[in-house]
Amino acid sequence: MTTSLSALRHRSAKRRGRRLTVVIGTALAIGALITAFPFFWMLTTSVKPQSESLTYPPTLVPRTPTLQYFGTLFTELDFGQYLANTIIVVLIGGIGLLLMAMAGYAFAKFDFRGKQWMFFLVLATMMIPVQVTMIPTYLILNGMKLTNTLIGIALPTLVSGFSIFLFRQFMSTIPTEVLEAARIDGAGEFRTFLLIVLPLSKPIIAVQAVLTFIAGWNSFLWPLVIANDQHLYTLSVGLSLLNKEIAVNPSLQMAAATVMVVPILIVFIVFQRYVIQGFALSGLK
């Protein structure tokens, strides 16, 4: 009797658990569809003719899709220049990726005077809003004659305290014995860093590559402040100008937004596995 009651309770609990799983899965699916709908709307509107994008009620799927407005962005407008500027800013940020990895390695595996205080200063920079340091940064770059240049746009975002912190957290998990073995075999510190530390740090490098790419790709306020020449603007600034100048063509605006958003999604999808692994191994939730 006791055994049958226990079996009944077990089957009942199993059914409740199955129902709960179905409810949670359904809720997540609905939430995912709601979240993805604006992105779907952006893609479909970008290939609609202007007359169709202005119709009411709006159509969900274009009746006569066209790529006309993507061509307009790069032939009649300056989006080719904006795209090139954005790519250059992102590539300069890639140099900062190596510098931040070296700083994180130093904080993780070396003992030197003032290490704790220096690391505290790095963490303290995470508490200061970017807007607070924008004017001093502008004055410094102006004194260096770097205003209105792509280097001046990219330089302030070359390194960040948060990225150094992430590298330090991850590289602390690398066994010191492996590094000592490389040194015993005659490898110098820089060679050890390049051939041992960096290959072992692929997950966190992928995380930082994605974050660096997103920061450079979405850069808006600083390029708007530092650049006087419109030919130095990035994609996000160009998109803002487009919204102000051409407010009656939703298809053109959505085409520009697609050019802005799709590369970020592609980069994240490619590096998704490494991003999750990197955050897990660095101890962040």
Side-chain angles (χ1 to χ4, degrees):
M1 185 66 177
T2 304
T3 304
S4 60
L5 284 174
S6 177
L8 286 173
R9 289 172 183 165
H10 177 71
R11 283 196 294 270
S12 178
K14 194 173 181 180
R15 282 195 297 269
R16 285 197 301 269
R18 195 177 297 117
R19 292 194 203 100
L20 182 61
T21 301
V22 171
V23 171
I24 293 175
T26 304
L28 290 176
I30 294 172
L33 290 174
I34 294 173
T35 303
F37 181 75
F39 177 69
F40 175 76
W41 182 265
M42 177 188 71
L43 291 178
T44 57
T45 305
S46 68
V47 294
K48 291 178 182 178
Q50 182 179 3
S51 58
E52 188 176 343
S53 66
L54 294 172
T55 58
Y56 186 84
T59 57
L60 187 61
V61 179
R63 300 189 187 95
T64 55
T66 176
L67 298 177
Q68 170 190 351
Y69 298 109
F70 288 97
T72 302
L73 289 175
F74 294 96
T75 55
E76 300 179 17
L77 302 174
D78 291 329
F79 266 71
Q81 184 65 52
Y82 299 154
L83 178 61
N85 294 341
T86 306
I87 291 174
I88 292 173
V89 170
V90 170
L91 291 177
I92 294 175
I95 300 174
L97 195 65
L98 178 62
L99 298 177
M100 291 184 291
M102 295 172 69
Y105 174 59
F107 282 121
K109 293 299 180 181
F110 289 94
D111 290 321
F112 50 90
R113 182 177 298 178
K115 172 183 173 180
Q116 299 300 327
W117 282 104
M118 290 179 66
F119 189 64
F120 172 79
L121 290 176
V122 170
L123 296 181
T125 61
M126 298 167 55
M127 308 174 194
I128 303 173
V130 176
Q131 293 80 4
V132 174
T133 60
M134 190 168 291
I135 294 177
T137 303
Y138 179 88
L139 294 176
I140 292 172
L141 291 177
N142 188 47
M144 298 171 64
K145 308 298 182 184
L146 290 177
T147 54
N148 208 35
T149 63
L150 287 176
I151 295 178
I153 293 174
L155 201 58
T157 58
L158 202 61
V159 295
S160 73
F162 178 68
S163 299
I164 293 174
F165 169 74
L166 275 186
F167 273 116
R168 187 257 184 190
Q169 291 297 102
F170 184 92
M171 291 178 177
S172 296
T173 64
I174 297 176
T176 306
E177 293 78 7
V178 176
L179 306 179
E180 291 177 349
R183 292 171 186 139
I184 291 173
D185 289 341
E189 292 297 338
F190 191 67
R191 187 178 179 186
T192 300
F193 174 74
L194 288 179
L195 300 183
I196 305 295
V197 176
L198 286 185
L200 292 175
S201 303
K202 285 182 180 178
I204 197 63
I205 291 175
V207 171
Q208 290 304 316
V210 172
L211 295 178
T212 301
F213 177 83
I214 291 175
W217 195 264
N218 289 338
S219 182
F220 171 73
L221 183 59
W222 180 248
L224 194 60
V225 170
I226 200 75
N228 299 323
D229 188 352
Q230 186 171 330
H231 292 290
L232 294 173
Y233 285 165
T234 56
L235 276 175
S236 55
V237 181
L239 180 59
S240 174
L241 292 177
L242 180 66
N243 291 336
K244 292 179 180 178
E245 296 174 0
I246 307 175
V248 294
N249 194 340
S251 296
L252 185 62
Q253 293 172 334
M254 291 303 170
T258 301
V259 172
M260 185 78 196
V261 172
V262 168
I264 295 177
L265 292 178
I266 294 174
V267 168
F268 182 78
I269 291 171
V270 170
F271 290 98
Q272 181 181 12
R273 178 168 60 90
Y274 294 105
V275 169
I276 296 173
Q277 182 183 1
F279 273 114
L281 293 178
S282 61
L284 295 180
K285 303 296 182 181

